[in-house]
Structure formats: C-alpha cells, structure tokens
Amino acid sequence: MFAEYDVIVVGAGHAGCEAAAAAATLGCRVLLATMNMGTIAQMSCNPAMGGVAKGQIVREIDALGGLSGIVTDKTAIQFRMLNRSKGPAMWSPRVQSDRWRFSEEWRLRLERIPNLDFWQEMVTGLVVKQGRVTGVYTSLGLEIPAKTVVLTNGTFLNGVIHIGEKTFGGGRAAERAATGLTEQLVQLGFEAGRMKTGTPPRVDGRSLDYARMEEQPGDERPEKFSYADETAPLSRQRSCHVTYTNHAVHEALKEGFDRSPMFNGRIQGLGPRYCPSVEDKINRFADRDRHQIFVEPEGWDTVEVYVNGFSTSLPEDVQQKAMRLIPGFENAKMFRPGYAIEYDFFQPTQLRHTLETKLVQGLYFAGQINGTTGYEEAGAQGLMAGINAALAVKEQGEFTLGRAEAYIGVLIDDLITKGTDEPYRMFTSRAEYRLLLRQDNADLRLTEKGYGIGLANQAAYDKMRIKRDGAAALEKLLAAQKIDPEEANPGLATAGSAEIRERTTLARLLTRPDLSLSQVLDLQPAFKAEVLAIYGPDAREQAEIMAKYRVYIEKEQTIAQRMEALEQLHIRPDFNFEGVGSLSNEAREKLGRVRPATLGQASRISGITPADVTALMVAVGR
C-alpha cells in the first residue's frame, strides 16, 4: 500500500510540523502521521508564541528557514517586545495568536509542499531491524516503510488526564492517548519517565467585567517575528488584561486540596517548575497575598478566553467557585475546566546532538518526548531533527549548532548532556553567551547556515547580506563622522546628556547609555538624512547595538572561541571511559551513560570536575 518514505514524522504538533516541513523542503519524500488531521499544530495550552528566550528561538527557527515565525506573524492578534527597559540581549518578542487561524495556517502551508503526504492514524510501534528503524506500525496493522523516523508524540504517550478525583486516558482534552510505543522503546533499552503539565480553564469573555482589570495593549509600533517580506507588522491589535487572585480565592482553592490529584498522590510525574499550577503556587508561596492572572483572548473573533496563571487540576466545582472570586470574574462562565496531564518521556541523554537516538539508527526524538515544555522548544527540536533526518537520507553529514551560535544549540546541548527530571524550559540565563544570541541578530547568525543546507531561500540570504553589510558600513561611517562641541552641545543639553569639550565622533557619543542613534543623528540633520536614505531600520539597529556594546560582545566572543577549542577535541563513540584510571568513579559512570561526543560536552556534564576533564584530555590525546 505504501512505497518507502525517506522520513516519517509521527505527531503533528509544533515539533512534527517543523520536522516534516524541513525534511520535505530539503527534497525528501515525507509522511506526516497524526491521530487527528483536524488538530495539526494545535496550541494545546496558551494561544501565544515567544516570550523571554522563547522569542529568540522563534527568530532562530525563522532564520534557518523554518516556518514558525511566518505562521506566527500571519495569525497574530497582538505583538509585544518584552524587557525593553533592559539591554538588547534581554529583548524578547512575544505574540498573542489566533488559536484557530494558527493551526489552519500551518496545515495549509504543509499541504502546499508537494512531496509531503499525510496519514491519519495512531502509530503503535516501530519496525526495527538490526539496530536500525525501517518503518512504523499503525493501529490498523499497517506497516509503512521508511529510511528514518522522527517521533514527536507530545503529551500523548500513555497520557492520563486528571480533574479532581476524575482520571481518564487522553493526550489532550477530547483526544485519546497513544499506546504501544513506550513499551516497545523500553524493550529496546530506552529509559522512560513520567512528566506532568497542566492547563487552565477557558471562559466566556462576554461574562467578564474588563473594567475591573488592567488593560495590557500591544506595542505602539509593533514588530514581527519573521525576517521574510511576506509578513508585515500588525496594523490593529487586541488587548489582553491583567487581574489578580486574592485571599478569598486562595481559601476557596484550599477547600479542594483534599481532592487534588497533586496533593493526594495520584499524580506521580514532575510538573514544570516555572509554570506551576495555581494550587501549587498558593501552597509553595503561602506568604504571597496575590498572584497575577493574564486574561488572553483566543483569537480575533471568538469570545473564548484563556485564563493564564490559573492552571489547575482541582475539581471543576472548586475551580468555578474560586475563579468567580477574582476581580472581573464574578459572573464568569466556564467553557471547560482546567486539567493536569501525565505522559511518558525519554531521557534526552539517550540522543546525539543531531537528536538521533544512540540505540536505534535512523530514529529521532523531538519535543515533549525529550522532556521539554513549550511550543518554541518543540519547534526548534523538530526543525533540527527534520534537517538531520533528511541529511542522513541524502548522506550529506549532519547539522548541529553550538552554544555560542544559537539558543537552539543551548537547548539541545543542555538536554543531551545534562538530561532533565522536570519539564525543561528555555531562559536567557541558560545561555552563557546571551550577548551574542540576541533576537535582533538571529538572521546574521543563522541564515547563511540555513541557506547552505538548502532550507533558507535566496531571498532570505540576500536580505541578510544587505543588513549585515549595511550595518558594518554604517558603523564605520559613525566612527569616522566627527562633530564639534558648538554643534553638538545644544542638542546634548536637550537630550539630557553631558556636553562635550572637544571634537569627537558620533560613534563615541553613541556609547553613552542615555543617547540613542536617532538622538545622535539629530545633532547633524544633513548627515541624518543621508543615513536614513541609505540604510534601512534593521541595519541602523544593528549598527547602534554594535557601537554601544562592541567591547562586551568582543569579550564574549573571545571566551566562546576559547571554549570552542574543547569542542574540537572529539571523543570516539567507542571510547572506554572505564579504562581511564585517573577518573573518579562518578565521572566514569556519568561519562559512560552520556557518552559525550567532545571534550567540551564532557566538561558540561553535571558532576564532572576540572580534574576529570584534564585526565580525559590526556587520555583522549593519548
């Protein structure tokens, strides 16, 4: 019935969509298998993309040639750049999305890729021969052959949903769980575990009193995620709103603690540390009088509202009672209660940097199956798994990113080197080179790489070159353009900046934290007109950032280059760590389990000391 596919992607969430699109764009014959064609790329939790560090990941996906940024722009209802009060390394774009249009746009884009096929059915097993995956089995008993398989099962592997004392199987509300795969993978030698996540109630926006809440509008001059010209910033936006819990809300929630699956032991999986349920928050932070609630519209036209910050698995009657004590929610009508879900995952230390498993050749894992949480983290892994599956089929090597190249590189290295015991979420603090990994320069860092493997197109590459060359030229121009005190001081006084006493360059003035490029250019109107006529806003922004932070950026680049030396010291896959007598027992055990590919990766394994690294360096060299 089926001819052999180059790549089969199991699961059509964010990871699966990026994996399928990437592999097909690279010329492979791809099958995307999903249990429900109607929920492709569904936003299972909050209707938003981006945020702190997550926004950088979406920009990186777009720069490489992935589709998340374009889909997000086309279905956005609000844009905000977070952390504008901090330095540019912390700026993080975030979009409120139209949930239904987001899913629709993803499906339509996938359907326009000619060598991408779809199959709606549960995949229940893998065909594995002599340590290599050769296809999948389905619930109908079909065998579909493939050269590589990418598993992106999300929360569906043996998923169990909890609402109060009620428990039932499911991978998402109103959708059944996926069975069979976990058991087979464990038999093949994989280490499995259980995790937990949750979602809040959805309510009828017509029943809310927004006058009792704080309005949270989008940016006055919204930007966008994708570097592509096919998307544009929003011309109109929908506001979100903010309200707060209070003592009465907390007391009402506590009434249901005895029926909470979190507190009575029915939930065994570990939940996300940085996105706890509301009952977990009031239990762990008993000294807090209130917690923030973000009231987020689900789309342009729907009345459905997402109650961000009120994730819960308490009984539905407790949820309703407590929620109606929140200001603005006094008459709230619930569309559906919140719930918790437990699901299987596999320790990501069982993967290579390409996201191929170490135990089965040609098998790749991406998304929540690796213990991560978040659409953005899933999409990034799916993109990298899809790229590497395609390159493996075409026998064109592998594609990986380092920690100094992308947040995607940090994400994957953290996972495969350290593993995770709780849902992994990306933060800027996880990246030691975050000055290099800004949201504004993702295209400068990655588009050439994406273009080199055939994923990013010519238009993206040409646009990146114009920005890169323009920024470099403008920075040199600013360093050469001088200004006298009598010309500069009136404008500096107006801007609230100290006067100068001698002739200086505009680049030097720009290093002042209280001056922007626009204010510096205002000091010389004729020169400003020349700059605006030649250089676009992207090049101007890049030149300004480099002029202000070049010393710090170059220092970070130097540190990254030194660390890169360790990444060039490769360790053979069959290296005998037990044979290195000078290693500690802990080091031997952890190195043998993770089996790092380089000395740099070995040095980042928890519990590996500098002495262990030195001993290993000598052994590898010998």
Side-chain angles (χ1 to χ4, degrees):
M1 180 176 177
F2 294 95
E4 184 182 48
Y5 282 94
D6 292 321
V7 183
I8 291 179
V9 178
V10 180
H14 294 72
C17 288
E18 286 288 3
T25 301
L26 291 176
C28 289
R29 186 163 178 262
V30 178
L31 178 70
L32 179 58
T34 175
M35 291 194 293
N36 188 348
M37 290 279 290
T39 56
I40 288 175
Q42 179 166 311
M43 293 180 135
S44 307
C45 201
N46 63 318
M49 288 289 284
V52 176
K54 292 169 174 282
Q56 283 86 330
I57 289 177
V58 178
R59 282 265 166 95
E60 290 176 352
I61 291 172
D62 184 77
L64 286 167
L67 297 178
S68 288
I70 290 175
V71 172
T72 299
D73 286 344
K74 284 183 170 291
T75 58
I77 64 174
Q78 186 195 87
F79 181 96
R80 294 181 67 214
M81 185 67 76
L82 307 182
N83 291 332
R84 274 286 194 187
S85 61
K86 301 179 181 178
M90 301 298 290
W91 297 352
S92 300
R94 184 183 188 273
V95 152
Q96 201 70 30
S97 299
D98 187 308
R99 181 190 301 277
W100 295 273
R101 293 183 184 178
F102 184 92
S103 180
E104 177 188 48
E105 181 66 25
W106 252 117
R107 175 166 174 168
L108 294 176
R109 284 196 162 264
L110 292 173
E111 289 181 355
R112 289 198 288 268
I113 303 176
N115 50 324
L116 173 56
D117 295 340
F118 301 84
W119 185 253
Q120 180 173 289
E121 193 187 349
M122 183 191 297
V123 169
T124 56
L126 302 170
V127 185
V128 180
K129 298 176 181 177
Q130 298 179 334
R132 181 176 186 87
V133 69
T134 60
V136 301
Y137 294 114
T138 73
S139 57
L140 289 177
L142 302 175
E143 179 179 333
I144 309 176
K147 296 174 182 175
T148 60
V149 174
V150 182
L151 294 183
T152 69
N153 302 81
T155 60
F156 282 80
L157 290 178
N158 293 324
V160 175
I161 292 174
H162 299 269
I163 304 177
E165 295 173 302
K166 303 179 180 72
T167 299
F168 47 93
R172 195 159 47 202
E175 295 185 66
R176 60 179 174 161
T179 57
L181 272 172
T182 294
E183 293 73 18
Q184 181 189 12
L185 289 168
V186 170
Q187 288 178 356
L188 288 168
F190 287 91
E191 176 192 350
R194 294 285 278 178
M195 282 191 176
K196 168 256 176 186
T197 189
T199 193
R202 310 303 201 268
V203 301
D204 187 337
R206 296 170 299 184
S207 65
L208 302 182
D209 182 2
Y210 292 104
R212 300 203 62 197
M213 308 178 198
E214 303 168 16
E215 185 178 8
Q216 190 178 60
D219 289 350
E220 286 187 23
R221 291 184 291 276
E223 300 178 32
K224 62 192 188 83
F225 267 113
S226 180
Y227 295 99
D229 290 331
E230 71 171 284
T231 66
L234 289 167
S235 57
R236 65 186 181 100
Q237 302 185 68
R238 281 202 69 176
S239 289
C240 296
H241 289 78
V242 179
T243 184
Y244 298 86
T245 63
N246 51 48
H247 179 73
V249 174
H250 299 176
E251 290 303 309
L253 290 169
K254 289 177 184 177
E255 291 176 12
F257 277 13
D258 61 328
R259 293 186 284 158
S260 166
M262 274 193 61
F263 298 136
N264 61 24
R266 286 206 310 280
I267 291 180
Q268 299 296 317
L270 286 170
R273 177 190 301 266
Y274 302 103
C275 189
S277 65
V278 67
E279 59 263 37
D280 195 21
K281 282 190 284 191
I282 64 173
N283 184 56
R284 285 166 50 192
F285 308 109
D287 57 321
R288 294 281 299 273
D289 295 328
R290 65 178 191 171
H291 295 281
Q292 208 166 33
I293 300 293
F294 294 95
V295 184
E296 301 177 344
E298 295 266 8
W300 282 116
D301 304 313
T302 181
V303 299
E304 188 172 355
V305 167
Y306 180 87
V307 190
N308 194 341
F310 204 78
S311 174
T312 180
S313 58
L314 288 168
E316 57 270 30
D317 60 317
V318 175
Q319 295 184 33
Q320 178 86 335
K321 178 181 178 181
M323 191 167 57
R324 286 188 166 179
L325 296 171
I326 298 172
F329 279 73
E330 290 82 1
N331 300 304
K333 294 179 181 178
M334 192 185 293
F335 277 176
R336 79 163 194 233
Y339 61 87
I341 180 167
E342 283 188 286
Y343 56 94
D344 294 336
F345 83 104
F346 292 86
Q347 270 299 339
T349 51
Q350 301 169 103
L351 305 176
R352 308 182 194 280
H353 267 100
T354 58
L355 297 182
E356 183 183 25
T357 66
K358 296 175 181 177
L359 290 176
V360 178
Q361 190 176 358
L363 177 63
Y364 298 78
F365 290 174
Q368 284 176 287
I369 192 172
N370 289 336
T372 61
T373 181
Y375 310 141
E376 303 82 3
E377 291 89 341
Q381 293 171 74
L383 179 73
M384 297 299 285
I387 289 171
N388 280 297
L391 293 180
V393 168
K394 299 164 75 174
E395 299 182 349
Q396 293 180 356
E398 58 186 44
F399 182 77
T400 60
L401 295 169
R403 298 181 70 90
E405 293 178 301
Y407 273 95
I408 296 174
V410 176
L411 166 67
I412 293 175
D413 186 68
D414 276 356
L415 291 173
I416 70 167
T417 301
K418 302 173 183 176
T420 185
D421 294 322
E422 60 186 42
Y424 178 102
R425 177 180 179 178
M426 178 54 70
F427 290 101
T428 52
S429 58
R430 296 191 190 272
E432 59 269 51
Y433 308 117
R434 55 184 176 270
L435 264 180
L436 308 181
L437 309 182
R438 306 183 308 277
Q439 58 83 31
D440 61 87
N441 70 350
D443 54 341
L444 302 182
R445 291 184 278 118
L446 300 175
T447 296
E448 189 163 5
K449 294 178 181 294
Y451 179 73
I453 60 173
L455 193 58
N457 59 32
Q458 185 70 48
Y461 180 64
D462 291 342
K463 188 173 183 181
M464 179 277 296
R465 289 183 60 190
I466 291 171
K467 173 180 172 179
R468 179 191 65 194
D469 297 345
L474 177 55
E475 196 180 354
K476 287 182 180 178
L477 192 62
L478 292 169
Q481 184 71 14
K482 295 188 176 182
I483 189 168
D484 294 317
E486 56 270 21
E487 185 181 13
N489 287 340
L492 291 175
T494 301
S497 189
E499 296 182 346
I500 58 174
R501 297 182 178 180
E502 58 186 27
R503 187 174 170 83
T504 191
T505 65
L506 296 189
R508 187 170 181 81
L509 284 177
L510 195 50
T511 61
R512 296 184 177 188
D514 56 353
L515 289 179
S516 66
L517 176 61
S518 179
Q519 289 172 310
V520 169
L521 291 177
D522 283 341
L523 302 176
Q524 292 186 325
F527 179 70
K528 179 176 183 176
E530 178 186 337
V531 167
L532 296 182
I534 299 174
Y535 303 102
D538 289 345
R540 296 199 302 270
E541 179 186 54
Q542 204 60 216
E544 178 175 5
I545 290 172
M546 290 304 297
K548 281 186 175 296
Y549 301 100
R550 175 168 289 281
V551 173
Y552 306 101
I553 290 171
E554 288 180 345
K555 184 182 294 185
E556 204 157 272
Q557 286 171 334
T558 300
I559 296 171
Q561 288 164 3
R562 288 174 183 167
M563 289 302 298
E564 180 63 22
L566 289 179
E567 302 297 340
Q568 299 306 315
L569 294 174
H570 293 274
I571 303 172
R572 298 191 315 273
D574 60 348
F575 186 85
N576 180 21
F577 295 103
E578 290 293 331
V580 184
S582 49
L583 286 173
S584 67
N585 289 332
E586 180 184 2
R588 288 196 199 98
E589 185 271 324
K590 290 185 173 179
L591 290 166
R593 177 166 53 85
V594 176
R595 302 211 65 82
T598 68
L599 207 62
Q601 185 187 355
S603 71
R604 292 188 293 275
I605 297 173
S606 177
I608 300 300
T609 67
D612 293 326
V613 174
T614 300
L616 190 57
M617 185 183 299
V618 172
V620 168
R622 184 170 62 241

